[in-house]
Amino acid sequence: MGVVELLLAGLVILLGLCGVLLPGVPGSWLVWAGVLWWALQDPRPVAWSVLVGATVVLLLSQAVRWALPSRRLRAGGAGPRLTAFAGAGAFLGFLLIPVVGAIPGFLGGIYLAERLRLGRHGEAVAALRTAMRSGGSSVLAELFACLVVAAGWLGAVIAG
């Protein structure tokens, strides 16, 4: 697989990660499609193992999301700024504290956005609880699964 195809597969995965935060965009499907494209272009056992692992993780994520409350973040007052802060927090947390850091990073991003918007700690914590109850946990579950898949893909690519 050439560098251009590898970069394009990575771009599809990155778009899928961003798509998780946007309503109506099939983020996890794009992440899976990027891994599938890579596995079809690079038919080594490690590529197929990553594809099978990605499929299992994303299917489990869909099952968890089905059990959680539906996405009603926009109705609860969550705007693009809040989702951007939550996504950036999850990504930074995932990098700083590998894998498990995405959860406190996501929560910290929502808290920071609400603290900047509302100005007080107590109101920001209440808004964080409201956001998580109104569908934030569903978004977090999907984003976490997609980050795990993207990290697995990146690890396999770097390992060669």
Side-chain angles (χ1 to χ4, degrees):
M1 179 172 213
V3 174
V4 174
E5 291 89 6
L6 195 60
L7 288 175
L8 288 175
L11 182 63
V12 170
I13 292 171
L14 183 63
L15 288 174
L17 286 172
C18 294
V20 169
L21 301 171
L22 300 172
V25 177
S28 54
W29 286 103
L30 285 172
V31 170
W32 185 80
V35 174
L36 174 68
W37 182 25
W38 169 69
L40 290 174
Q41 295 294 321
D42 189 11
R44 292 181 297 147
V46 70
W48 290 103
S49 299
V50 170
L51 178 62
V52 168
T55 303
V56 169
V57 167
L58 292 175
L59 285 176
L60 285 174
S61 163
Q62 294 301 315
V64 168
R65 282 188 57 227
W66 181 72
L68 293 172
S70 64
R71 288 180 148 177
R72 296 182 313 269
L73 284 176
R74 297 283 181 206
R81 180 178 176 178
L82 180 86
T83 55
F85 271 74
F91 182 72
L92 287 174
F94 193 84
L95 291 178
L96 294 174
I97 306 169
V99 182
V100 296
I103 297 168
F106 185 84
L107 297 173
I110 293 175
Y111 173 79
L112 181 61
E114 294 299 332
R115 178 72 188 250
L116 292 174
R117 184 175 69 93
L118 300 171
R120 293 182 29 177
H121 170 72
E123 293 174 358
V125 169
L128 170 63
R129 287 185 187 136
T130 301
M132 291 306 288
R133 287 184 185 136
S134 67
S137 54
S138 174
V139 174
L140 176 59
E142 184 178 4
L143 182 61
F144 183 75
C146 289
L147 283 170
V148 167
V149 169
W153 172 80
L154 188 61
V157 167
I158 291 172

